[in-house]
Each structure stands twice: as structure tokens, then as C-alpha cells.
Amino acid sequence: MAAAILTAGSFSAKAQGRTDVNLYMGFMNATYTSLDQTRGTSHKDLYSIYEPYYTVNSGPSLTLDVNRRLLPWLGAGLQAGYSYMSGEKKYNIGNAPKKEFSQTMLAFLPQVKFFIPSPRHFRLYAKAAAGINLNLGETIVGEPISFAWDIVPIGFEWGGQFIYGTAEICAGNVITGARVGVGFRF
């Protein structure tokens, strides 16, 4: 019984600090940035005046990711994202009526995270994720279920070892731009 208690204690000591849970708020989901055409309605080609254009409103994108350190420089985990978008689909020429839409997007992506050697209270990393994107509601762009990817060429964590702030630059079809958030390590 004592051997079992000592063994369990050593496993929990090893596992401490190996799992990260991060909650982010992103500023532009990728579908929004591809559709928002309200800034300039000039058309490059004649045929494009017959194509629809969109006026889009979007809220923040929320992302939750969980990572487990496999090696000192490598982690694996899962990322789940939520974003919402609404707007109108319009035509410049023709008598097609405006059409309002709303779309909720959920993304589920397995990911790998690469930890770059850095100081204890300012940690650098990079990560890559690929999975599926579910479009709920009226699908304006893409299919109801599509391939999703997210690459973070540079991200950083600052602060404590158990509770810390985090920010990252993102590219992909889930988030384009940046995310900031808070993380917990246990």
C-alpha cells in the first residue's frame, strides 16, 4: 500500500505543469475578413457588378485550447473555436432583393505546439492545427462542414507559471489576425 501511495505521488509530481488550458478572444474570424466588402464597392472587372456582395457584422471569436506537453519542446492538444456572423447579401445590378443571414461557426482542430526555449516568465511558442469547421445556420460561404486550419507562427505567454496571459498572431481559415487570452497550467 505504501509503494502504491509513493508511486502515485511521483506520477502526480511529474504531471504537474504539463497540461495547459487557454481561453482566447480573437478579433477577426477568417470568413468575416473574406466577406466584408463594405469598405469599397468599386469593382475590378465588369462581370463583378453582377456578383453578390456582402455587408457583414461579426462579434469576437472565442477559442479554447488544451495542450499536454509530450516533450520539453513539443505538446499536443485540441482547439475548439466559436464565432458568429450576420449581415446582408446584396446585388448592384438586377432586381434581386437583399437577403439577411446569420451564421454560427464551430471549429474543432487537433494541434501540435512547439515550445521555443525562453525565460521562465516570458515563453515563446508556435503551433499548427487542422480539423473541421461546422457552419450552423444559413451557409453563405463554403459548405456546412469544411476543412479548417490554423497556424500560429509566433505566440507568447507572460506572467506566472500557473496563471498567465497569452497572445498570438494567427493565420488560417479559422482566425486571421490576433488572439489574446488567459491560460492555466496544472
Side-chain angles (χ1 to χ4, degrees):
M1 187 179 222
I5 292 171
L6 290 174
T7 306
S10 68
F11 284 137
S12 65
K14 278 185 182 177
Q16 186 176 5
R18 293 186 60 179
T19 302
D20 298 334
V21 176
N22 300 306
L23 179 61
Y24 299 97
M25 183 171 62
F27 298 107
M28 286 193 269
N29 71 55
T31 306
Y32 170 79
T33 57
S34 69
L35 283 181
D36 188 26
Q37 300 170 355
T38 58
R39 305 295 176 251
T41 56
S42 63
H43 299 286
K44 296 178 182 175
D45 297 320
L46 183 59
Y47 76 87
S48 66
I49 65 173
Y50 298 101
E51 296 294 317
Y53 71 96
Y54 301 89
T55 304
V56 183
N57 301 312
S58 177
S61 297
L62 302 176
T63 304
L64 174 69
D65 80 12
V66 179
N67 292 292
R68 178 85 174 155
R69 277 196 191 222
L70 304 174
L71 298 170
W73 57 270
L74 179 67
L78 180 67
Q79 172 180 317
Y82 164 84
S83 59
Y84 176 79
M85 179 174 70
S86 65
E88 293 180 334
K89 178 180 178 180
K90 305 175 191 177
Y91 290 88
N92 281 327
I93 292 184
N95 57 358
K98 291 191 283 188
K99 186 174 182 180
E100 293 185 2
F101 67 89
S102 65
Q103 186 172 344
T104 299
M105 292 154 287
L106 301 174
F108 301 98
L109 302 96
Q111 67 183 7
V112 293
K113 190 171 182 179
F114 304 97
F115 300 98
I116 301 164
S118 34
R120 187 171 171 86
H121 295 287
F122 184 82
R123 297 168 298 277
L124 297 172
Y125 64 88
K127 65 182 177 180
I132 62 169
N133 195 16
L134 302 173
N135 293 314
L136 308 175
E138 185 178 351
T139 303
I140 297 301
V141 173
E143 300 296 320
I145 298 175
S146 60
F147 176 71
W149 60 280
D150 193 28
I151 295 177
V152 175
I154 187 77
F156 57 93
E157 302 169 352
W158 67 92
Q161 295 302 308
F162 299 105
I163 299 174
Y164 54 89
T166 183
E168 50 190 39
I169 297 170
C170 310
N173 65 358
V174 177
I175 297 285
T176 300
R179 294 189 270 239
V180 296
V182 63
F184 307 94
R185 182 172 293 115
F186 53 91

